[in-house]
Amino acid sequence: MERALLSNVIATSDWCANQLLPRISPSFLSRHRHTRFTVAKPAYFSYKRLSVFLAMDASKAAPAKQVSSVLDATAEEEYASLSKLLQDFTNISSIDKAWTFNSGNGNGTQAMFSISQPNLLANKRKKFMLSTVISKENENSVTFQWAPFPVEMTGASAVVPSPSGSKLLVVRNPENESPIQFELWSQSQLEKEFHVPQTVHGSVYADGWFEGISWNSDETLIAYVAEEPSPSKPTFSLGSTKGGSSDKDCNSWKGQGDWEEDWGETYAGKRQPSLFVININSGEVQAVKGIPKSLSVGQVVWAPLNEGLHQYLVFVGWSSETRKLGIKYCYNRPCALYAVRVSLYKSEASELELKESSSEDLPVVNLTESISSAFFPRFSPDGKFLVFLSAKSSVDSGAHSATDSLHRIDWPTDGNFSSLEKIVDVIPVVQCAEGDCFPGLYSSSILSNPWLSDGCTMLLSSIWGSSQVIISVNVSSGELLRITPAESNFSWSLLTLDGDNIIAVSSSPVDVPQVKYGYFVGKANKGTWSWLNVSSPISRCPEKVKSLLSSRQFSIMKIPVKGVSANLTKVYLRGSLGFGEEALQSLPGKVGSQDVNDVLTAIDHVIDMGLANPSKVTVVGGSHGGFLTTHLIGQAPDKFVAAAARNPLCNLALMVGTTDIPDWCYVESYGSKGKDSFTESPSVEDLTRFHSKSPISHISKVKTPTIFLLGAQDLRVPVSNGLQYARALREKGVETKVIVFPNDVHGIERPQSDFESFLNIGLWFKKYCK
């Protein structure tokens, strides 16, 4: 197994992130799929959101006491010190997106960065925009001239520049039944503002999954995904309306109407994602017709303009003819690319306008019928082909996130889809990677414009082993290159392109995010990519944080696992992304045994190397990492001095009837064959197997003091799972602490909850690592 070796790490996240900050408070990734083993002094392993802290130095803290309303002077001082340190780490900004624009005067490029930061007092994440001018003075030097201050984007749900960079769309979703606001900005002012009432549609989706906002080529129309209008509800009355009560009948009320399925975790109460187009000249909004009611739509893009006055929209559709299973972090939900025609006409000003058409005139075409998954559609610059990702391996196996593949369709520019040619595999699924070779594609997003100037090379971020890297892919030849430094153990995220140059961000468990500028040196096929550090105010942090991190270091370790098949002898992190499909698919059906043994093997290895004190090992994990945490303290009861679990899965037999992903219980328990045996009414045999795979089956052996952090609104692993396990521990006399956050979902992401959660974890570990 590959692990990262650290020295004296202060704190870390239990979520395995490609931009992992050395902080207690985590950034919960959109794809939620990174897995990493790490060792530190104090050290940690991270396996599917699991962290095992291995302390070397004796704690200098006074005998810790559980934090309560009454604290002695020493404990109160320690609490305040940890709280201040955690605030310093929490205040480090995250870089979310970036865009570049031509300056118009030939003097460099203008860029805009979207950054965010937790606001503990407001209990929200603040969003900012920070502008800069990029000047590439020579081949080995680039200058970013940053604006003196960022601008807060209060209330902005989405920000999308037009293709030319001359306009900026800002969408503001209300927190009540007020209209949705569409603002159109030029370089100097607000040009137009439209308010779309809830009777037309609900909030615009800006979640990174169903989200899709796309400008057409002449920048007059914008396609987007929003909640369908609220259905009418029945009215119940006790009598006739009295005079003088015309505004509201005091003798009647609105009923609830029929219950409708939603897409589970984080989508509770949100209505069906539907497709709309707005004319930015008139403000007219139309629902796109012809899309079956059974399809939830997302990720819409305009197809290249063809001859005539017909233009197509391409979107991703998820069918929901039966139950909608949870979709957040679940790439195993079947989906396809569809094309729908939008009829246009030329106005007197020779601008394209929307034309009313019946749904019968606009049939929807399934472009990817031969493959079970297709998403993130992107057209080549010349419009000749359409490229997309597929999670076919996830759909076919039932694993929530498996090895991706990349595909291409030659686009029929005449609109004749009957002549659509077969899907071309650009990057197939890699079953088993040898050594440090390409392990397969693991990509959580694609830039809206990922293309280099040759028109056929696109750039992607992808997990490669224990890190995230940036790769280039020629979609015509299939040639693939890793363009971030091979010797770097940092994780890299692609932000945007500056012509044929790259703006990215890199980080590590002991390094805050750093902006990087990449450029190609040499001739095509014979050159290399070079990277420059960019001085940025975004990466600045308090001196105490700098001082603490400057003495820390990390590296990657390989720890052989016993009992693997001959094909997996060189695969060290079974069940994780970044090591090939065979290694990943080895885990379903073996959860609670293979993963537990791998973690214990890694712990023993670093203890044998003298890197960890066996009397000071603690474990923390969330979600499936919480599943591993509670398994570990049951199967290795003498290994850990303390444990912490955030929304842990402790009992599959209980979870299967309450979660938004009951199919997962079958796949994890039975392997890929569980996908076909999934039913909403599990048998006695199923429930028995679920129990045997669960941490609760080992609870009689647990003696590790454990703290539980639970989100009361969690639909993925409902709060009853953690509470049942915690109550069982208390019943048998194990010291237990439970904190329930009433308004948090699975990720416990609200800033105040996240802060309180990790502060208490830190105090809990200090108490038992004395």
Side-chain angles (χ1 to χ4, degrees):
M1 303 174 181
E2 287 200 342
R3 322 287 194 256
L5 174 62
L6 291 85
S7 175
N8 298 316
V9 170
I10 294 300
T12 188
S13 157
D14 65 324
W15 309 109
C16 309
N18 65 307
Q19 292 184 36
L20 183 67
L21 292 181
R23 44 179 280 201
I24 301 176
S25 175
S27 296
F28 197 70
L29 290 190
S30 59
R31 189 158 184 176
H32 199 171
R33 55 185 279 177
H34 294 267
T35 305
R36 189 189 305 262
F37 265 79
T38 319
V39 172
K41 210 172 52 167
Y44 65 95
F45 292 114
S46 196
Y47 187 104
K48 283 194 176 290
R49 300 176 298 282
L50 171 81
S51 300
V52 182
F53 287 76
L54 307 162
M56 282 291 288
D57 301 325
S59 171
K60 298 178 182 178
K65 299 179 180 179
Q66 184 168 329
V67 177
S68 64
S69 57
V70 180
L71 295 169
D72 62 31
T74 303
E76 186 173 347
E77 182 180 347
E78 180 181 272
Y79 182 90
S81 175
L82 282 178
S83 178
K84 178 60 172 66
L85 178 62
L86 179 55
Q87 289 179 51
D88 288 341
F89 277 102
T90 300
N91 286 335
I92 298 173
S93 298
S94 298
I95 306 172
D96 303 323
K97 294 181 180 180
W99 302 268
T100 55
F101 312 90
N102 292 327
S103 61
N105 56 15
N107 296 323
T109 305
Q110 294 179 332
M112 188 167 65
F113 286 74
S114 173
I115 58 180
S116 60
Q117 179 186 37
N119 184 328
L120 288 172
L121 291 179
N123 204 17
K124 294 180 179 179
R125 288 193 70 86
K126 282 185 174 291
K127 296 180 180 179
F128 307 87
M129 286 293 178
L130 183 62
S131 299
T132 185
V133 175
I134 305 171
S135 302
K136 197 166 185 299
E137 299 167 355
N138 54 59
E139 189 176 85
N140 301 315
S141 176
V142 64
T143 300
F144 280 56
Q145 296 176 309
W146 299 93
F149 301 103
V151 177
E152 184 177 359
M153 301 296 290
T154 306
S157 303
V159 177
V160 185
S162 66
S164 69
S166 62
K167 303 181 182 73
L168 182 71
L169 170 69
V170 178
V171 179
R172 302 183 191 274
N173 288 324
E175 295 184 355
N176 47 36
E177 292 301 310
S178 300
I180 294 84
Q181 298 178 31
F182 288 76
E183 300 173 359
L184 291 160
W185 292 80
S186 66
Q187 285 188 327
S188 60
Q189 63 187 9
L190 175 65
E191 296 283 349
K192 293 180 180 179
E193 182 174 352
F194 303 112
H195 290 198
V196 180
Q198 299 268 345
T199 53
V200 176
H201 62 65
S203 293
V204 173
Y205 274 88
D207 61 338
W209 190 235
F210 290 116
E211 175 182 359
I213 300 176
S214 180
W215 293 76
N216 73 336
S217 58
D218 68 356
E219 302 185 358
T220 58
L221 303 173
I222 300 174
Y224 59 96
V225 179
E227 295 181 65
E228 65 180 7
S230 297
S232 59
K233 295 184 177 180
T235 300
F236 299 93
S237 176
L238 296 178
S240 60
T241 303
K242 295 182 179 181
S245 60
S246 57
D247 290 340
K248 183 177 181 181
D249 186 352
C250 59
N251 293 313
S252 65
W253 70 93
K254 288 285 187 182
Q256 296 302 311
D258 293 347
W259 174 73
E260 292 188 10
E261 291 270 12
D262 55 43
W263 285 105
E265 174 69 15
T266 72
Y267 293 105
K270 291 189 74 68
R271 302 190 296 275
Q272 177 90 341
S274 302
L275 191 52
F276 298 86
V277 175
I278 185 171
N279 184 312
I280 68 168
N281 294 316
S282 64
E284 176 191 8
V285 175
Q286 286 189 19
V288 176
K289 297 181 179 180
I291 300 174
K293 183 73 174 175
S294 61
L295 281 184
S296 293
V297 307
Q299 303 176 17
V300 62
V301 294
W302 288 94
L305 188 63
N306 56 19
E307 297 178 3
L309 293 176
H310 295 305
Q311 192 165 4
Y312 284 87
L313 290 169
V314 172
F315 63 90
V316 182
W318 291 264
S319 180
S320 54
E321 294 179 355
T322 54
R323 174 178 176 175
K324 291 179 180 175
L325 293 167
I327 203 169
K328 187 75 170 180
Y329 316 120
C330 297
Y331 287 76
N332 58 324
R333 306 301 174 217
C335 55
L337 296 187
Y338 296 85
V340 63
R341 195 177 73 198
V342 178
S343 292
L344 308 172
Y345 71 92
K346 281 195 175 181
S347 66
E348 294 181 359
S350 296
E351 293 180 341
L352 293 177
E353 303 278 354
L354 291 170
K355 178 182 178 182
E356 284 283 355
S357 300
S358 67
S359 58
E360 290 77 12
D361 296 335
L362 306 172
V364 172
V365 179
N366 187 333
L367 303 173
T368 57
E369 283 186 300
S370 63
I371 193 168
S372 58
S373 171
F375 54 95
F376 291 148
R378 297 293 184 268
F379 281 96
S380 60
D382 60 8
K384 291 183 178 180
F385 47 82
L386 174 64
V387 178
F388 62 92
L389 282 177
S390 174
K392 181 179 183 295
S393 294
S394 297
V395 173
D396 295 349
S397 68
H400 277 179
S401 188
T403 311
D404 296 328
S405 50
L406 186 69
H407 305 270
R408 187 188 79 234
I409 296 175
D410 291 334
W411 184 252
T413 54
D414 59 358
N416 182 10
F417 293 104
S418 62
S419 63
L420 197 66
E421 298 185 11
K422 69 174 184 177
I423 296 172
V424 177
D425 296 342
V426 178
I427 301 178
V429 171
V430 174
Q431 291 297 324
C432 188
E434 292 292 331
D436 294 324
C437 295
F438 177 61
L441 189 60
Y442 305 90
S443 190
S444 59
S445 64
I446 301 180
L447 295 181
S448 58
N449 180 18
W451 303 98
L452 297 182
S453 60
D454 64 3
C456 60
T457 300
M458 67 186 309
L459 301 184
L460 299 164
S461 295
S462 181
I463 304 170
W464 191 313
S466 293
S467 303
Q468 181 164 283
V469 304
I470 300 174
I471 60 175
S472 67
V473 181
N474 185 308
V475 298
S476 296
S477 67
E479 181 185 11
L480 182 149
L481 296 172
R482 174 176 177 170
I483 63 175
T484 44
E487 67 278 5
S488 171
N489 290 328
F490 281 49
S491 280
W492 297 66
S493 287
L494 179 63
L495 290 176
T496 190
L497 301 182
D498 177 20
D500 278 346
N501 301 325
I502 301 172
I503 299 175
V505 60
S506 73
S507 63
S508 83
V510 296
D511 297 272
V512 298
Q514 171 72 46
V515 177
K516 301 281 189 175
Y517 192 86
Y519 61 96
F520 190 77
V521 179
K523 296 182 179 179
N525 301 322
K526 293 184 180 179
T528 59
W529 284 87
S530 292
W531 295 91
L532 300 173
N533 292 325
V534 174
S535 177
S536 162
I538 305 172
S539 58
R540 292 173 188 164
C541 55
E543 287 301 321
K544 186 171 183 180
V545 171
K546 287 183 182 179
S547 176
L548 287 169
L549 295 181
S550 63
S551 60
R552 273 68 186 175
Q553 56 185 337
F554 86 103
S555 60
I556 302 293
M557 295 178 64
K558 292 184 178 181
I559 304 174
V561 177
K562 301 174 183 177
V564 299
S565 70
N567 290 336
L568 294 180
T569 53
K570 295 185 179 180
V571 176
Y572 302 99
L573 200 58
R574 299 179 294 173
S576 298
L577 306 180
F579 295 90
E581 183 68 4
E582 186 177 348
L584 189 148
Q585 294 292 350
S586 70
L587 182 59
K590 300 176 184 176
V591 294
S593 53
Q594 175 176 296
D595 44 7
V596 169
N597 291 333
D598 286 356
V599 173
L600 294 176
T601 298
I603 295 173
D604 290 341
H605 184 82
V606 295
I607 289 175
D608 291 343
M609 293 177 66
L611 296 174
N613 185 336
S615 66
K616 295 182 179 180
V617 180
T618 63
V619 58
V620 56
S623 190
H624 190 91
F627 173 84
L628 271 172
T629 294
T630 46
H631 254 306
L632 285 162
I633 61 177
Q635 295 190 44
D638 298 316
K639 203 82 167 178
F640 307 96
V641 296
R646 285 172 42 118
N647 283 332
L649 161 58
C650 305
N651 186 350
L652 283 162
L654 174 62
M655 176 181 171
V656 71
T658 56
T659 180
D660 65 335
I661 54 166
D663 58 320
W664 181 87
C665 300
Y666 285 82
V667 173
E668 294 301 289
S669 298
Y670 290 102
S672 58
K673 65 181 181 181
K675 173 179 177 289
D676 298 323
S677 60
F678 162 59
T679 172
E680 297 283 0
S681 53
S683 66
V684 173
E685 292 77 13
D686 290 334
L687 294 174
T688 300
R689 186 172 180 88
F690 295 158
H691 183 272
S692 71
K693 293 287 184 180
S694 301
I696 202 164
S697 66
H698 301 279
I699 200 163
S700 63
K701 297 173 284 186
V702 177
K703 50 190 177 184
T704 305
T706 306
I707 181 173
F708 295 85
L709 302 311
L710 308 173
Q713 304 303 315
D714 187 353
L715 299 180
R716 185 57 45 92
V717 184
V719 66
S720 57
N721 232 267
L723 287 177
Q724 181 195 44
Y725 192 91
R727 287 166 174 156
L729 288 186
R730 283 179 173 171
E731 184 179 62
K732 64 189 299 294
V734 177
E735 187 168 357
T736 305
K737 180 181 177 69
V738 178
I739 301 176
V740 176
F741 301 98
N743 298 311
D744 278 86
V745 294
H746 190 56
I748 313 184
E749 295 178 273
R750 291 157 62 88
Q752 291 176 3
S753 304
D754 180 74
F755 183 88
E756 183 179 355
S757 165
F758 281 97
L759 179 60
N760 276 275
I761 290 173
L763 290 165
W764 189 258
F765 286 175
K766 266 185 169 289
K767 178 178 180 178
Y768 294 101
C769 282
K770 47 190 174 181

